Amino acid sequence: MYLAVTKQNNLDNTVSTDDESLIRLLANIQKHIVLDAKDMEYLHRVFKHRTVQKKELLLLQGRLCRKLFFVASGSVRAFNVSDDGKESTIMFAIDDWWITDMYCFLNQKKALLSLEVLEDSEVFELSYEAFQKGFEKLPQLERFFRILFQNAYVREQLRVLETISLTTEERYRNFVIKYPQIVEKVTQKQIASYLGVTPEFLSTIKKK
């Protein structure tokens, strides 16, 4: 799930201009709601900033999913490992995108996905408790997350429709067109896993 940065109303009055990660987070949230200085100070307190390294796991499949992540810079991959050991990439998140195991986060269940950092990255994490309390402190946050989750649902529905109606070659071409920034950051093996094919089959498609 993701939202692009569109504006940064009054951000320079609240945070130092050298804190680019925080500015990006607040600007992202302000795409759909208006924040005053007090609101931004509150969000600064409840979102925890982390510098994470390549291959670090933000979430491990089977553990309780308690956090929602905003990727200020870098890239993260969500994947599932089946009982027989098959690994399937479910989604990616790059700069200015949000990511979690949404079903398990919202229902406080054990994660069905793991979240792997694909390169050294800057992320902000929001705990489930802070997520819930945020609606009381900042009621407009409910609108923001509603839109965020709506967009995520629509995107995943379109992906399912593509899977059942398009060839693998067509799906790969659409992926490259829609997400050129992701293609630059991830491996062909990870793209193949996302498309549900082997790296060898994807290589054959690319040669065409």
Side-chain angles (χ1 to χ4, degrees):
M1 37 188 174
Y2 64 96
L3 293 172
V5 171
T6 59
K7 59 184 179 179
Q8 51 183 65
N9 296 347
N10 301 320
L11 291 181
D12 293 339
N13 295 329
T14 305
V15 297
S16 60
T17 55
D18 60 345
D19 194 345
E20 295 182 1
S21 295
L22 179 59
I23 289 175
R24 184 168 292 177
L25 168 66
L26 296 175
N28 185 293
I29 293 174
Q30 286 197 109
K31 178 172 184 178
H32 294 297
I33 63 175
V34 176
L35 301 172
D36 60 25
K38 185 177 179 180
D39 297 333
M40 287 186 273
E41 289 173 1
Y42 172 75
L43 292 174
H44 190 189
R45 292 197 305 271
V46 297
F47 274 92
K48 179 182 177 182
H49 176 263
R50 289 179 59 184
T51 299
V52 289
Q53 297 182 334
K54 182 178 180 179
K55 295 188 178 181
E56 185 173 339
L57 291 177
L58 299 175
L59 175 65
L60 183 62
Q61 183 176 333
R63 299 279 182 86
L64 185 63
C65 182
R66 302 187 63 85
K67 295 175 181 178
L68 171 67
F69 297 93
F70 172 75
V71 182
S73 64
S75 54
V76 178
R77 177 178 74 109
F79 66 94
N80 169 269
V81 179
S82 65
D83 292 339
D84 61 2
K86 180 182 178 181
E87 185 176 291
S88 299
T89 297
I90 306 302
M91 69 186 78
F92 299 100
I94 56 175
D95 300 9
D96 301 315
W97 291 29
W98 297 78
I99 190 167
T100 188
D101 183 332
M102 189 189 300
Y103 168 74
C104 295
F105 176 75
L106 294 177
N107 293 283
Q108 284 300 275
K109 293 182 177 293
K110 292 181 178 179
L112 301 174
L113 308 175
S114 291
L115 302 182
E116 177 190 23
V117 179
L118 298 179
E119 60 184 309
D120 292 351
S121 303
E122 302 285 330
V123 304
F124 285 90
E125 61 181 41
L126 182 68
S127 71
Y128 181 77
E129 291 77 10
F131 173 78
Q132 292 294 335
K133 290 180 181 178
F135 297 148
E136 299 176 10
K137 296 287 187 179
L138 301 178
Q140 63 268 39
L141 276 182
E142 188 167 0
R143 168 181 167 80
F144 173 75
F145 283 114
R146 174 176 57 79
I147 295 173
L148 189 75
F149 294 158
Q150 281 178 182
N151 290 343
Y153 178 83
V154 169
R155 189 175 67 255
E156 290 309 307
Q157 178 176 314
L158 292 176
R159 180 188 173 190
V160 171
L161 289 174
E162 283 192 354
T163 300
I164 63 178
S165 62
L166 301 180
T167 65
T168 303
E169 183 174 355
E170 290 171 329
R171 290 192 291 124
Y172 173 70
R173 184 166 60 246
N174 286 350
F175 180 83
V176 172
I177 293 173
K178 287 181 181 178
Y179 308 117
Q181 310 97 319
I182 295 179
V183 175
E184 294 177 357
K185 289 176 173 286
V186 305
T187 66
Q188 290 302 302
K189 180 179 179 180
Q190 290 163 349
I191 294 176
S193 175
Y194 178 82
L195 296 174
V197 299
T198 65
E200 293 76 17
F201 187 72
L202 180 60
S203 178
T204 299
I205 290 175
K206 290 181 62 180
K207 290 178 181 178
K208 293 182 180 180

